[in-house]
Amino acid sequence: MKKSIADLARIRQEALKNIQLRDQNEASCRIVVGMGTCGISAGARPCLTAIVDEVHKRGLTNVQIVQTGCVGMCRLEPMFDVYLGNEKVTYVDMTPEKSRQVVVEHVVNKRVIHEYTIGAVENK
């Protein structure tokens, strides 16, 4: 089916609105979950589900949750990054319960849970 000029203009406007929404969300909080084969086999999917559930349960509209592939640290999976402001924190060896705690403490209360971060695990 051919698109008319009006159809293309409408599609363009919708795409621009989505980009603007994405930009607004990026200014708030972004959670990037490693969903490579290594992450999935280590339990990343239940962690992702727990994050999505907790964000929805709390009605957080300023949180963007996205998936990514393997980041090359398979032994630390499941893992995800939380981008809040200009700060990035990497949480590793996660469980669904720990993931929910991160949403509550880090995203809502703005307190990093240091014992779950990559720095704490690497220094053990």
Side-chain angles (χ1 to χ4, degrees):
M1 179 177 164
K2 286 185 175 179
K3 303 262 188 237
S4 69
I5 296 295
D7 291 337
L8 295 174
R10 183 182 45 77
I11 291 169
R12 181 178 189 273
Q13 288 303 317
E14 288 175 10
L16 288 172
K17 274 198 275 183
N18 287 337
I19 289 170
Q20 289 169 345
L21 285 174
R22 206 177 316 149
D23 288 344
Q24 289 170 355
N25 284 341
E26 287 176 3
S28 300
C29 179
R30 186 171 184 226
I31 300 173
V32 180
V33 182
M35 294 294 287
T37 304
C38 53
I40 292 171
S41 66
R45 191 169 304 284
C47 291
L48 173 64
T49 301
I51 293 167
V52 170
D53 288 347
E54 195 65 30
V55 165
H56 286 166
K57 183 175 115 183
R58 295 182 174 277
L60 304 174
T61 57
N62 61 341
V63 179
Q64 182 184 32
I65 304 165
V66 296
Q67 301 176 32
T68 190
C70 177
V71 294
M73 296 185 284
C74 305
R75 65 184 174 82
L76 300 173
E77 295 283 356
M79 61 189 299
F80 58 85
D81 298 322
V82 175
Y83 295 84
L84 195 56
N86 294 328
E87 182 181 66
K88 171 190 162 190
V89 176
T90 300
Y91 289 99
V92 299
D93 195 24
M94 298 303 288
T95 64
E97 184 55 39
K98 288 179 178 178
S99 301
R100 290 180 194 279
Q101 290 175 3
V102 168
V103 172
V104 172
E105 288 301 317
H106 191 154
V107 176
V108 175
N109 296 324
K110 313 292 187 242
R111 292 187 297 245
V112 175
I113 303 176
H114 293 284
E115 66 190 82
Y116 300 162
T117 63
I118 191 169
V121 171
E122 291 291 291
N123 291 328
K124 282 185 179 176

